[in-house]
Amino acid sequence: MITALPSLAPPPPHPSSPLMIYLGNITITSLAWSESGGFVVRFESDHGRLHQLYIGRRLYGETRGTEAREIVAQYDTGGSQYPEHVCVVAVDDADVGLEHGSKLPPRPYNRVRVRFPAQVPTGDAIIDDVRTWELFTGQAPEGAVNYDTARDVAVVDGLHPYELESQPLGPSGEWNVGVLGRDTTELDGNVGTPVEQSAHLLSYPPDFDDDFSVAVSAGIATINCMIPQD
């Protein structure tokens, strides 16, 4: 099944692109959920360029014109309470459609992304009878990988590189991850020997359990909220 160790390293630069991104002079002015479930990010920018929206290190959307100052993303938290960093960057025309997550500044990033080729270094294919690649993680930092529920599943559809990514994880620490392949045997398929690695994740504190309220009286602000236990 899996004979090549998946890599957790950032992807190599695109051979035809300088991977130029512009981080300065951009201000996010509002974040909101739309009625249709989209995540709406509005921003101001001094750049007469196209813009990209990143949540964590993943590209979630782009503007279609240089004057646009709103991006709507289809974003799923996966039920996680741990927030992710939101960032808007400006890009040159040659970089539109290319993901530049590996070039973003160091920040708390709390998803595990595994990329691996469809061939091992010897050139032998590793998808002859694989139906799906599946990603699993521990339930806490340094915890053993739990293979009961997959964090992500990629259906094999040809000989090309594959990518798996977890939901936002927390708290911070060394998280163990495992990848296994499931073959085409009916009904549920046989699984191969998992390949495991670990990744160090930094997580922002978890979100509030409930909406918080603010009241101001006689110059004193009172904030009511439920702070979750991390």
Side-chain angles (χ1 to χ4, degrees), residues 20-200:
M20 183 63 71
I21 60 174
Y22 303 88
L23 293 163
N25 300 318
I26 300 173
T27 302
I28 294 176
T29 57
S30 70
L31 305 171
W33 293 101
S34 69
E35 292 182 358
S36 61
F39 184 57
V40 182
V41 179
R42 296 184 177 92
F43 59 95
E44 297 176 351
S45 173
D46 294 339
H47 300 281
R49 294 180 168 87
L50 299 175
H51 292 77
Q52 293 183 329
L53 168 66
Y54 288 85
I55 303 177
R57 288 190 184 272
R58 175 175 284 279
L59 173 63
Y60 272 88
E62 297 176 311
T63 57
R64 295 185 177 181
T66 57
E67 300 301 319
R69 295 295 183 263
E70 177 182 294
I71 301 175
V72 180
Q74 298 304 312
Y75 172 60
D76 183 5
T77 65
S80 175
Q81 287 186 313
Y82 291 86
E84 297 187 273
H85 195 93
V86 178
C87 178
V88 175
V89 304
V91 296
D92 291 327
D93 290 349
D95 291 327
V96 173
L98 300 177
E99 186 169 304
H100 308 297
S102 62
K103 296 185 71 68
L104 295 177
R107 293 179 178 132
Y109 297 112
N110 58 340
R111 289 181 186 248
V112 174
R113 181 185 297 179
V114 179
R115 286 189 174 111
F116 53 96
Q119 292 182 319
V120 295
T122 60
D124 297 326
I126 57 174
I127 66 166
D128 289 342
D129 66 341
V130 180
R131 176 191 299 168
T132 57
W133 298 112
E134 302 177 11
L135 173 69
F136 301 83
T137 73
Q139 295 178 300
E142 300 185 4
V145 177
N146 177 10
Y147 288 99
D148 291 338
T149 304
R151 296 279 190 171
D152 195 15
V153 176
V155 177
V156 174
D157 58 1
L159 188 63
H160 58 80
Y162 285 86
E163 176 180 297
L164 297 165
E165 186 173 88
S166 74
Q167 295 86 358
L169 301 173
S172 301
E174 201 77 14
W175 283 78
N176 294 315
V177 300
V179 174
L180 59 77
R182 188 179 300 273
D183 70 16
T184 55
T185 303
E186 298 294 345
L187 292 168
D188 296 326
N190 299 316
V191 297
T193 302
V195 175
E196 295 189 359
Q197 283 193 349
S198 62
H200 186 76

Side-chain angles (χ1 to χ4, degrees), residues 202-227:
L202 293 176
S203 302
Y204 288 110
D207 206 351
F208 294 120
D209 286 338
D210 297 297
D211 293 337
F212 61 90
S213 62
V214 179
V216 179
S217 177
I220 299 177
T222 302
I223 301 175
N224 295 312
C225 64
M226 180 71 70
I227 300 177

